[in-house]
């Protein structure tokens, strides 16, 4: 059950400390669209995200996200250089709200996060874990009513599950989503 009628705004941008920064992805900026498109076609991301879509579809998806109140597409930078594509979303407006494991109830201010480190030469260096930690802390600052950040990496993506765990997320079992079996990861305030 999605909590469609919420008295909360769209997901906030995390407030990050140096060396991290984040900005909204601009669907009207060909550089941003090209960057996301290229990253989504990188083998390590394409295998996990299954969104190696044409550039035009990415432009449309980014524009839709920016005009809605469900998801915010972001470019995360490390030391001023683009590192990752992020999606921050209101879980109560997402299909995930109806898949919370027993013992957890969706809260209107719960936030979810997706992460894709674009450059394959920068994976396996702990940057994902550090980014997830920074983004989680930054989301708690940006939305004081948020009690938890959740994520749902594919159970087959051991590296992603390990990164979330190393960033302070706890696995609350597995959930069956329409397109994958996911590890339900939670970082509480």
């Amino acid at each position: 059950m999605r909590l469609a009628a919420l008295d909360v705004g769209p997901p906030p941008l995390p407030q990050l400390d140096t060396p991290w920064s984040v900005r909204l992805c601009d669907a009207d900026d060909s550089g941003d669209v090209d960057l996301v498109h290229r990253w989504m076609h990188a083998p390590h991301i394409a295998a996990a995200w299954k969104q190696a879509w044409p550039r035009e579809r990415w432009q449309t998806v980014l524009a839709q996200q920016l005009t809605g109140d469900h998801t915010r597409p972001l470019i995360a930078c490390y030391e001023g250089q683009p590192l990752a594509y992020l999606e921050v979303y209101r879980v109560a407006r997402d299909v995930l709200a109806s898949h919370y494991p027993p013992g957890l109830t969706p809260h209107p201010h719960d936030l979810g996060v997706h992460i894709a480190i674009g450059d394959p030469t920068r994976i396996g260096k702990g940057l994902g874990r550090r980014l997830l930690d920074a983004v989680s802390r930054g989301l708690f600052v940006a939305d004081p009513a948020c009690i938890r950040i959740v994520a749902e990496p594919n159970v087959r993506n051991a590296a992603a599950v390990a990164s979330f765990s190393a960033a302070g997320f706890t696995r609350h079992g597995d959930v069956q989503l329409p397109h994958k079996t996911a590890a339900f990861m939670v970082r509480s305030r």
Side-chain angles (χ1 to χ4, degrees), residues 62-69 71-72:
L62 294 171
Q64 289 170 338
Q65 289 176 343
L66 290 164
T67 59
D69 60 2
T71 304
R72 290 292 173 254

Side-chain angles (χ1 to χ4, degrees), residues 16-189:
L16 303 181
D17 295 324
T18 304
W20 302 103
S21 62
V22 67
R23 63 178 172 75
L24 283 171
C25 196
D26 186 345
D28 294 324
D29 180 328
S30 63
D32 279 3
V33 177
D34 289 344
L35 181 63
V36 172
H37 177 255
R38 184 174 68 248
W39 283 349
M40 288 299 154
H41 282 81
H44 69 287
I45 295 175
W49 282 57
K50 310 254 187 269
Q51 293 178 343
W53 300 329
R55 183 190 183 286
E56 296 75 22
R57 182 170 178 188
W58 267 110
Q59 186 171 22
T60 299
V61 166
L62 294 171
Q64 289 170 338
Q65 289 176 343
L66 290 164
T67 59
D69 60 2
H70 172 248
T71 304
R72 290 292 173 254
L74 308 172
I75 301 290
C77 297
Y78 179 70
E79 297 180 338
Q81 298 299 311
L83 173 71
Y85 172 70
L86 298 174
E87 291 175 345
V88 175
Y89 61 97
R90 287 277 181 208
V91 181
R93 293 187 178 114
D94 191 83
V95 66
L96 187 62
S98 62
H99 290 84
Y100 268 48
L104 288 179
T105 303
H107 182 273
H109 285 268
D110 285 358
L111 293 166
V113 64
H114 298 136
I115 179 174
I117 295 182
D119 183 349
T121 66
R122 300 180 88 183
I123 60 175
K125 301 178 187 305
L127 288 171
R129 169 191 52 80
R130 291 169 45 208
L131 175 59
L132 287 167
D133 177 57
V135 166
S136 297
R137 286 185 285 110
L139 287 171
F140 285 134
V141 170
D143 185 349
C146 177
I147 63 171
R148 71 176 70 94
I149 313 292
V150 302
E152 77 302 332
N154 192 312
V155 295
R156 295 181 181 167
N157 191 340
V161 173
S163 289
F164 280 102
S165 294
F169 286 73
T170 302
R171 190 169 181 170
H172 285 263
D174 298 342
V175 295
Q176 186 61 52
L177 299 175
H179 60 290
K180 66 182 176 184
T181 302
F184 195 93
M185 309 294 292
V186 176
R187 178 159 169 179
S188 298
R189 180 177 288 278

